[in-house]
Amino acid sequence: MSSRIRARGAKTAAGVHTVRIPRQRGRRGADPFVVVVPERPSLTREALGFLGGLLWRSRHALAPTGLAVLALVVAALLHVMAWWSGLILAPAAAGPLAWLLVMQRRRPAAGAVLAWRIGLAALLASALAWLAVAAGCGPLAGALELWWLLTLIAAQSAWLVVRRTH
């Protein structure tokens, strides 16, 4: 390697070093060569990249978990900004039960279909009731975090069963 080649300590972007090679003899009008050498990623960045890729590949299977975390954040924001929003959300908890009655009246079902309808209506009613109470009292007040966790486990389990059968 020539003694004229040297690295300069200037960084151009985060984690990228630029090495400038001066003009060669006999090439007066030419621009100098620029070699960009990327910095090796840290072990933390590699682990986070692996974890992010794993979550991205299984994003369809983890949809209820994402919705539950979103509901937790929304409930916390509603509690902080407008605690009275829980009073407005409370009647929405009866919506899934009304849906169950309307569906049974229009298209009567029995057996497994009726069981899935009842389970879905109960799960949605529980989730909406949790959202209303969490918006009013705070998502981590009392036993609300346990209620949230049990609803999440039930929704995720049902989601995985439905995805496997279809």
Side-chain angles (χ1 to χ4, degrees):
M1 189 178 257
S2 170
S3 62
R4 294 177 49 113
I5 299 173
R6 61 186 177 270
R8 297 207 175 130
K11 286 190 175 183
T12 57
V16 176
H17 298 280
T18 301
V19 178
R20 296 187 186 275
I21 301 173
R23 280 184 282 153
Q24 304 298 311
R25 294 182 189 180
R27 304 190 68 197
R28 296 182 190 258
D31 290 331
F33 292 99
V34 176
V35 179
V36 178
V37 181
E39 189 175 293
R40 290 183 55 131
S42 67
L43 186 60
T44 305
R45 169 129 176 24
E46 288 285 332
L48 288 176
F50 174 75
L51 185 63
L54 186 67
L55 288 174
W56 181 255
R57 286 188 297 275
S58 61
R59 66 188 179 274
H60 295 294
L62 295 174
T65 302
L67 288 175
V69 171
L70 180 67
L72 188 71
V73 171
V74 166
L77 288 175
L78 283 176
H79 175 67
V80 168
M81 293 172 50
W83 64 268
W84 46 266
S85 62
L87 299 172
I88 296 172
L89 289 172
L97 303 176
W99 170 82
L100 178 63
L101 293 174
V102 168
M103 283 300 292
Q104 274 302 105
R105 190 159 176 102
R106 286 187 183 170
R107 295 183 182 181
V113 174
L114 180 60
W116 274 103
R117 283 183 186 174
I118 291 172
L120 180 64
L123 186 64
L124 285 175
S126 174
L128 290 172
W130 176 88
L131 184 63
V133 174
C137 300
L140 301 178
L144 286 180
E145 61 251 351
L146 180 63
W147 186 3
W148 176 82
L149 183 63
L150 292 176
T151 305
L152 167 64
I153 291 171
Q156 185 68 51
S157 301
W159 180 258
L160 292 176
V161 167
V162 168
R163 281 181 45 93
R164 190 160 304 261
T165 59
H166 283 73

